[in-house]
Amino acid sequence: CYKDLDKQKIIKNILDLSAEFQIATIVESVENEQDWQQVRLLGAFLAQGFYFFKPMETEELTDVLNHQGIPVITMDYLP
C-alpha cells in the first residue's frame, strides 16, 4: 500500500504540513510491519489499522485500553 512513490510523496507532504501547524495526524490502513516501518520513515508516529488491532466494538476497545492503563472517556460519560 505504501510502496507507490506518488503515495509516499503525498503522505510525506501531509505529515510535514501537519507538523508545521502542530496538527496530530493518524495514518490509516497500516496492515503489516512493513507498512508501519514505511510510514514511520515518512514521519508518522500515529497510525491505525489491522497491524495494531482488528475492528472491535466500543466495549471491547475500552477493555483493551483500560488493560493497557490508558484512560478512556466515552460519550456515555459526557453531559
Side-chain angles (χ1 to χ4, degrees), residues 27-46:
V27 176
E28 295 191 8
S29 300
V30 175
E31 306 297 322
N32 55 51
E33 175 70 23
Q34 184 177 356
D35 287 348
W36 177 226
Q37 293 303 323
Q38 183 63 49
V39 296
R40 288 181 68 201
L41 289 173
L42 296 173
F45 62 93
L46 297 172

Side-chain angles (χ1 to χ4, degrees), residues 2-16:
Y2 298 102
K3 294 178 185 178
D4 181 282
L5 291 179
D6 287 335
K7 288 181 184 177
Q8 287 182 19
K9 289 177 188 176
I10 292 169
I11 293 167
K12 176 75 171 130
N13 285 326
I14 290 170
L15 292 169
D16 288 347

Side-chain angles (χ1 to χ4, degrees), residues 14-24:
I14 290 170
L15 292 169
D16 288 347
L17 186 61
S18 298
E20 181 71 26
F21 287 98
Q22 298 178 346
I23 299 171

